[in-house]
Amino acid sequence: MACTVVVGGQWGDEGKGKITDILAEQADLVVRYQGGSNAGHTVVVGGEEFKLHLIPSGILHPDCTCLMAGGTVIDPLVLRDEIEGLKARGVSCDNLRVSYTAHVVMPYHKRIEELAEQARGRGGIGTTLRGIGPAYTDKAARMPRPVRFRDLTDAHRLRELITGQLEHKNIIIEHQYGQPPLTVDEVFQQVWPAAQEVSSYATDGHRLVQDSLRARKRIVFEGAQGTFLDLDCGTYPFVTSSHPVAGGACLGTGIGPTAIDEVIMVTKAYTTRVGAGVLPTEDEGDAGQLLRDHGHEYGTTTGRPRRCGWLDGVVARTAAMLNGATSIAVTKLDVLDSLATIPVCVGYEIDGVMLDIVPSWPEDLEKVKPVYEELAGWQQPLGDMRKWDQLPSQAQAYVERIAELAGVPVSIVSVGQGREQTMLLG
Ligand code: IMP
């Protein structure tokens, strides 16, 4: 492992946090490259559960530096609470850094998103309401100058930037949504106490990454969300506003594509999605409920029940291509323990034509009929197994079929939440 990207191969919640934590053991630097507090990464160590939204999943390894890169968006209130929560549990966070250039999620972003989603009603995106879309929108708009992480070190500058932003935001809040405007004082008062606490983590993120590359340090780039939530490659418009795909690691951190040695695509043994948008293998009946119950498929960030369905081989193949995946980490294989047979989608049929990759036009994807193959289940608990050879032949065949469908070998198999419930395949 020199430079490894960990990327979600589906619609998020694949278990990237656990895989990043494991790789962090051997890493010098873990870098979150996109997204913000919309993410929810769970890491379980010695039966203790840590839920991380912003902070990279390497934070539990004190010798590993953790950077939130310029491609992320940071809510200072969430960051402060997350740091305090970790410190209260004995995690120092001295190894945390945040890039100067990361954009800041401000209270007006959350307010505008809440009003916009309410106005859209059932036609909404079903976002996490963490202000992510509006913060990235301001980043792309460039003027008036949005707040970036380094701006949090200077009260005068922060107040000036809030003043400039509210001149525009209040037009939307008052005139588009008929709601009372926000005042500069209230926004400043909300943010400044948290800003004072978190701004000491600010650093030149580009320099940190470039210096680490030059020193041949081992770096893990941690993606949030998943391939099909990518703004460009996902099921638009039901996507997030950043770039979870492996290429996003280049943009979000300022490295060239040739710096990446490995791309580990994390793929759950079945499929889930939160929020609106197409999900070809969704099962809205008892089977979906079984996956939800056994997999504890409720959002880490919002608590919403996740939509569940069978593994989609077309999604796996397409994601492997979009990410240039070099291997796959299959997670939550144990969730399927009780099933006698397991359907796996091996192709899509649309108007009598078979497709082997996901069509890029989402309305076409809505029309596809998944073609299933039934694989034999293993009907025994996998949670205590530690080696590939201990897995029942049916479970091995299931994992091998995923590799075959994706066209990429499997390097990691996870059979439970704990660090120890992980098989690293040679
Ligand atoms: P946003 O990222 O809050 O703008 O939400 C856009 C879409 O991405 C919604 O469907 C969310 O449910 C989904 N989403 C955002 N973050 C995550 C995540 O970490 N896991 C799964 N879905 C997510």
Side-chain angles (χ1 to χ4, degrees), residues 326-350:
T326 52
S327 74
I328 298 179
V330 175
T331 57
K332 298 185 98 165
L333 188 61
D334 55 300
V335 171
L336 306 178
D337 280 352
S338 66
L339 300 171
T341 58
I342 310 166
V344 170
C345 169
V346 295
Y348 292 157
E349 197 220 295
I350 181 165

Side-chain angles (χ1 to χ4, degrees), residues 8 16 51 55 147 149 159 163 183 191 233 266 278 299 308-309 314 331 334 362 407:
K16 296 176 291 295
K51 287 189 187 300
I55 296 180
V147 180
F149 199 76
R159 192 180 271 279
T163 306
T183 67
V191 173
C233 303
V266 186
V278 58
C308 296
V314 186
T331 57
D334 55 300

Side-chain angles (χ1 to χ4, degrees), residues 1-9 16 19-20 23 27 29-34 213 218-225 227 243-253 255-266 322-329 411-412:
M1 174 187 62
C3 232
T4 304
V5 179
V6 175
V7 63
K16 296 176 291 295
I19 301 301
T20 302
L23 297 175
L29 178 64
V30 173
V31 187
R32 250 294 287 278
Y33 59 84
Q34 46 73 228
L213 278 177
R218 294 157 303 176
I219 311 178
V220 176
F221 295 95
E222 179 186 26
Q225 292 83 46
T227 301
H243 295 290
V245 293
C250 296
L251 295 173
T253 64
I255 58 164
T258 48
I260 298 169
D261 301 296
E262 258 189 276
V263 177
I264 300 182
M265 182 172 92
V266 186
L322 290 170
N323 292 300
T326 52
S327 74
I328 298 179
S411 57
I412 301 176

